[in-house]
Amino acid sequence: MYERDKKIQALLKCLEHSEDLLKHHNSPEDWAELYYNYGLAWLAVMSTIPDDDRSAQARKHARENARCYFERAIAFCKKDPRLRVQVKKLTYCHLGAAAVLLDCTATAARTEQKHIPPEDIKDAQGHLDFVERVLGDCLPLGSRMHLFKTRSDQYYRQGFYLLAKETAENALHIAKSNGFKTELVTLQERIDFLNRLYEEKIRLTTDNDADNSYSDNDASSEASGSETTAKPKDPRLRVQIKQQTYIYLSLAEMLLDCSSTAARNRQKSIPHADIEEAKEHLNFVRDKLGVSVPTGTRVQLLKTRSDQFYRQGIYELAKETAEDALQIASSNGFNTELDSLQKRIDFLDKLCEHKRSRIVIEDISNSSSETCCSESE
């Protein structure tokens, strides 16, 4: 346990002493740094506690402390008037908070396929979305790599193993391209682990589908009294996958009301239930049919996924997904897609810029209000 870890105990004592010294010192940067380091310390504590029933209470205590300190650090970061410093610290704090919520503080914790409460996953996603949407353009490559790693953890905890693997591969690409050698081995191990999970999921899904197909056919035969009246699914797997993919993508487009450029450009409110249903259709295509989906259909999947993010207001992710579609289209000679995809990317880029400028204005306004309140007091 961490009580016996002299290094962690010494670190916590140093932080307590620092907190005493800062009590009469109004410095958002120092307070943010202090609470961020507190969060890291409790994150380290959490990683030393076994994840079993006997240690559950101690681990929960460490987890709550880590989360609390990261959230305090975030609050003080927002008060720092220097935008560059604020962005840097906010990134680290949000990523730390997300790691705590996803319980992916170490390799051992990550490979433990445990249940994470949906509200914790949602909160973690909120932290990552903030980094991606608000700070995305300002992120240095090292921070972007860590964002991909933590986003991969989010997808892993949600059971989206293919997306988790692809996101980890993005992190590995950045690490290789920029000489982050200490990250290469762990990222490759993570990718291999996620690939095994995905292959196992595909195998189980295929087996279940086969069992269900046989059951359906048997039931039909019994009901009619003859095998000749049974109407099994199309036995040609390739045709079946193609048909299912088109159906699910069309349903998602309809739910998102993005069947045309004019419809897409209308920034209308789509019911949350419709967006979630569209998301499920797209997840089905990605998770269940992903390996078999041809390249052209993958472009359509990415386009519709971009529409989903757009309707959710996650413009940065919508733009990046559309860019992925454009890259595939360019590489494979799908020339009819290039112009419309580029227009979509430009449209989303304008929305991103507008959203960022609005957030900056709101932050400045809030900061001014707080300053006025402080002066009046």
Side-chain angles (χ1 to χ4, degrees):
M1 290 294 195
Y2 73 92
E3 289 91 344
R4 295 192 292 271
D5 192 315
K6 292 182 180 178
K7 288 183 180 178
I8 291 178
Q9 285 301 312
L11 175 59
L12 288 172
K13 283 183 180 178
C14 287
L15 291 171
E16 287 172 8
H17 182 58
S18 299
E19 191 171 11
D20 287 336
L21 293 173
L22 280 173
K23 278 183 178 175
H24 303 291
H25 184 55
N26 184 22
S27 170
E29 180 187 7
D30 291 333
W31 279 106
E33 187 70 27
L34 172 70
Y35 286 134
Y36 171 68
N37 284 314
Y38 254 128
L40 288 180
W42 282 105
L43 205 60
V45 169
M46 187 177 162
S47 65
T48 64
I49 302 173
D51 192 4
D52 53 35
D53 292 338
R54 190 172 58 179
S55 309
Q57 194 60 38
R59 206 165 191 279
K60 182 182 177 184
H61 173 68
R63 186 172 184 268
E64 288 175 351
N65 278 351
R67 180 180 181 178
C68 175
Y69 282 119
F70 279 129
E71 287 174 351
R72 286 188 193 177
I74 289 168
F76 276 101
C77 283
K78 291 178 179 177
K79 296 179 181 179
D80 197 310
R82 296 163 301 170
L83 184 61
R84 186 171 176 276
V85 175
Q86 186 184 127
V87 166
K88 183 178 179 181
K89 287 196 180 338
L90 276 174
T91 301
Y92 294 152
C93 294
H94 279 288
L95 291 178
V100 172
L101 289 161
L102 296 169
D103 200 353
C104 288
T105 54
T107 303
R110 185 176 295 108
T111 52
E112 183 75 24
Q113 287 185 276
K114 60 187 294 185
H115 172 72
I116 304 294
E119 58 271 19
D120 285 354
I121 294 177
K122 187 176 180 181
D123 287 346
Q125 184 175 347
H127 286 296
L128 298 177
D129 287 348
F130 178 87
V131 174
E132 192 160 26
R133 292 199 312 264
V134 180
L135 312 178
D137 290 344
C138 309
L139 284 182
L141 288 169
S143 299
R144 185 169 290 278
M145 181 197 65
H146 284 291
L147 172 61
F148 279 133
K149 284 170 63 178
T150 316
R151 181 70 83 180
S152 173
D153 289 334
Q154 174 209 319
Y155 293 139
Y156 162 60
R157 290 303 192 195
Q158 290 176 300
F160 303 149
Y161 301 135
L162 179 60
L163 195 53
K165 176 193 164 194
E166 290 174 350
T167 309
E169 286 171 341
N170 289 338
L172 181 62
H173 175 70
I174 292 175
K176 282 182 176 178
S177 303
N178 295 276
F180 304 149
K181 295 180 180 178
T182 56
E183 298 283 348
L184 300 183
V185 175
T186 54
L187 278 169
Q188 189 58 58
E189 288 175 351
R190 182 188 302 210
I191 290 165
D192 294 340
F193 169 69
L194 291 166
N195 191 52
R196 287 194 297 272
L197 288 177
Y198 179 63
E199 288 177 351
E200 178 66 14
K201 185 175 182 179
I202 289 293
R203 187 184 65 77
L204 290 173
T205 303
T206 305
D207 291 346
N208 289 338
D209 280 354
D211 291 342
N212 291 337
S213 179
Y214 290 135
S215 300
D216 290 344
N217 291 343
D218 290 344
S220 299
S221 299
E222 289 173 8
S224 63
S226 170
E227 289 186 5
T228 56
T229 58
K231 294 182 180 179
K233 296 175 183 177
D234 194 315
R236 297 166 297 172
L237 182 61
R238 185 171 175 275
V239 175
Q240 190 183 124
I241 287 172
K242 184 178 179 181
Q243 289 173 344
Q244 282 187 323
T245 303
Y246 288 155
I247 290 168
Y248 281 110
L249 290 179
S250 298
L251 284 170
E253 272 186 8
M254 180 185 70
L255 289 162
L256 296 168
D257 196 3
C258 288
S259 54
S260 66
T261 303
R264 184 178 297 109
N265 291 351
R266 284 197 299 271
Q267 289 185 275
K268 60 187 292 186
S269 174
I270 304 294
H272 178 71
D274 287 354
I275 293 176
E276 285 300 309
E277 190 177 344
K279 185 177 176 181
E280 286 180 15
H281 291 320
L282 297 177
N283 288 346
F284 178 88
V285 175
R286 182 198 64 207
D287 295 336
K288 192 170 181 181
L289 310 178
V291 175
S292 312
V293 169
T295 307
T297 310
R298 187 170 291 279
V299 171
Q300 300 303 320
L301 172 60
L302 288 169
K303 285 169 63 178
T304 316
R305 180 70 80 184
S306 173
D307 289 334
Q308 174 212 316
F309 292 137
Y310 162 60
R311 289 304 191 195
Q312 288 177 298
I314 313 174
Y315 302 136
E316 193 72 41
L317 200 50
K319 177 190 163 192
E320 289 176 3
T321 309
E323 286 171 341
D324 289 341
L326 180 62
Q327 184 180 10
I328 295 175
S330 300
S331 304
N332 292 274
F334 303 148
N335 295 333
T336 55
E337 296 283 354
L338 302 183
D339 186 52
S340 61
L341 276 169
Q342 189 57 59
K343 286 179 180 176
R344 182 186 302 208
I345 291 165
D346 294 340
F347 170 69
L348 290 166
D349 189 48
K350 289 176 185 174
L351 290 177
C352 290
E353 289 178 2
H354 176 69
K355 189 168 187 177
R356 278 193 294 271
S357 61
R358 192 179 65 199
I359 289 169
V360 170
I361 291 168
E362 287 175 358
D363 283 349
I364 293 170
S365 177
N366 292 336
S367 178
S368 301
S369 300
E370 288 173 5
T371 305
C372 291
C373 290
S374 300
E375 289 174 355
S376 62
E377 288 173 2

